[in-house]
Amino acid sequence: MNSNLEELYLEAEADIKNSNFAEAFRKYEVILSEEPDNGPTLNSLGWLHKTQVEDYKKAESYYQACIKYNPSYPHAYNNYATLLTDMERFEELTVLLQRCFEIAIIEKSWVYLKFGYMEELKLNFKEATGFYEKAILA
């Protein structure tokens, strides 16, 4: 990403912190028009679509694109895992979390915590406790 796009991205992130979501959307779209595979921007657009527009399908497509084009960008995995958890799509969540173990930059204790929370939602408390213990050890 060139310095102008980096600056625009940081401005968009500041817009989000100031609840100026429309302006952030506009800036992210400008970035994607020049760099359609920009991971941080794709991830941020996914987050905006999930949390502000509540368009889970579009959010998912942005997270998937980020992971496809930037497989080592960790934030998209976290956000996508949260989306899958919210939608109770546990089989897909399991596949995603297993993939996270292969990515060096992702904190493994976080992966175990997500597994634990998933098992808790499924009312599998013994399995959840096992994952929480692994998270502590990791």
Side-chain angles (χ1 to χ4, degrees):
M1 186 176 345
N2 69 46
S3 60
N4 290 336
L5 293 181
E6 286 175 359
E7 185 177 322
L8 192 60
Y9 175 79
L10 293 174
E11 288 175 14
E13 292 292 295
D15 288 334
I16 287 175
K17 289 179 183 165
N18 294 317
S19 299
N20 192 355
F21 303 116
E23 187 62 22
F25 268 116
R26 186 189 68 72
K27 290 174 182 171
Y28 290 138
E29 291 297 332
V30 169
I31 294 169
L32 286 185
S33 71
E34 293 190 39
E35 287 186 15
D37 61 350
N38 182 280
T41 302
L42 290 165
N43 177 64
S44 293
L45 277 168
W47 182 87
L48 280 170
H49 277 90
K50 179 187 182 286
T51 63
Q52 303 307 309
V53 183
E54 295 184 13
D55 184 342
Y56 283 30
K57 187 173 185 174
K58 198 171 253 189
E60 181 174 14
S61 70
Y62 281 115
Y63 293 144
Q64 289 174 336
C66 180
I67 290 168
K68 176 182 177 184
Y69 296 120
N70 299 268
S72 63
Y73 187 73
H75 305 294
Y77 293 92
N78 182 27
N79 289 335
Y80 190 25
T82 299
L83 177 97
L84 292 172
T85 300
D86 291 349
M87 296 176 12
E88 298 183 0
R89 290 170 44 192
F90 298 132
E91 289 180 21
E92 293 165 85
L93 176 60
T94 299
V95 171
L96 179 70
L97 292 176
Q98 288 294 342
R99 183 175 177 191
C100 289
F101 283 123
E102 301 169 12
I103 300 164
I105 197 166
I106 292 179
E107 178 63 43
K108 303 315 180 249
S109 63
W110 166 84
V111 179
Y112 287 121
L113 282 172
K114 285 291 191 181
F115 267 120
Y117 184 57
M118 176 183 69
E119 292 301 331
E120 198 174 330
L121 289 172
K122 293 166 42 178
L123 305 178
N124 298 328
F125 300 114
K126 186 174 183 176
E127 290 84 354
T129 300
F131 281 116
Y132 293 144
E133 288 173 351
K134 287 180 181 181
I136 290 168
L137 293 173

